[in-house]
Amino acid sequence: YQFLTPDFAIREMIRPEWGVLQGFGLKARDLQPAQVQELVQLRAVHRSLSATDLAAFLLAREFVATLLTGDRRLSELATANGVTTHGVLWLLDELVDADVITPGEAADALNQMLNQGARLPQDEYRRRLTSWLGQVGT
């Protein structure tokens, strides 16, 4: 996988810092002038979505890429425009399946997210925790 983010999202990356994320391979992309105009138009219609969210949608659409988001409204906009979306649970599944992280690390990461206030579908995260913790030590 390659991971992209809008260039102006860099200033929002505090923990971990942009440099750490960049070291892991996250790349920043700027919008083309026509995309900036479309962003302004989208922002007027979709006021509940941030400019960064909309820029990520535009980049995903441009690159025919999957948009990673936990925002239901952004996911609905993307899906309505033919952009595939997934959330953090899918990402953790992919990391475990590719042996990038262990099931135990995925469970720890998920617990940390939940402890920091992440809102995830309860049935889905419980199923994963049960599965991942069942794989620890096997």
Side-chain angles (χ1 to χ4, degrees), residues 8-130:
F8 55 86
I10 293 170
R11 68 178 178 271
E12 296 177 13
M13 297 178 189
I14 299 168
R15 267 185 296 158
E17 298 178 340
W18 167 246
V20 172
L21 295 170
Q22 190 176 29
F24 284 125
L26 182 61
K27 293 180 174 32
R29 293 287 187 262
D30 52 344
L31 298 179
Q32 300 302 312
Q35 289 173 308
V36 173
Q37 290 177 336
E38 186 175 3
L39 174 64
V40 170
Q41 294 168 346
L42 285 169
R43 188 80 172 102
V45 174
H46 301 279
R47 295 174 194 229
S48 63
L49 295 174
S50 71
T52 302
D53 287 342
L54 293 169
F57 157 69
L58 291 169
L59 286 174
R61 190 181 68 191
E62 174 189 354
F63 288 102
V64 190
T66 298
L67 177 64
L68 292 174
T69 182
D71 188 295
R72 178 186 47 82
R73 295 164 300 202
L74 181 56
S75 182
E76 289 171 354
L77 171 66
T79 300
N81 284 275
V83 175
T84 302
T85 65
H86 290 294
V88 68
L89 295 175
W90 174 86
L91 181 59
L92 288 171
D93 287 338
E94 291 293 297
L95 292 170
V96 169
D97 290 346
D99 292 324
V100 173
I101 61 174
T102 66
E105 290 170 326
D108 288 344
L110 186 54
N111 279 323
Q112 286 180 33
M113 288 179 227
L114 293 170
N115 290 337
Q116 292 180 15
R119 294 176 291 166
L120 300 169
Q122 289 189 9
D123 290 344
E124 290 294 315
Y125 85 73
R126 284 187 183 134
R127 182 176 63 77
R128 281 171 177 83
L129 277 179
T130 300

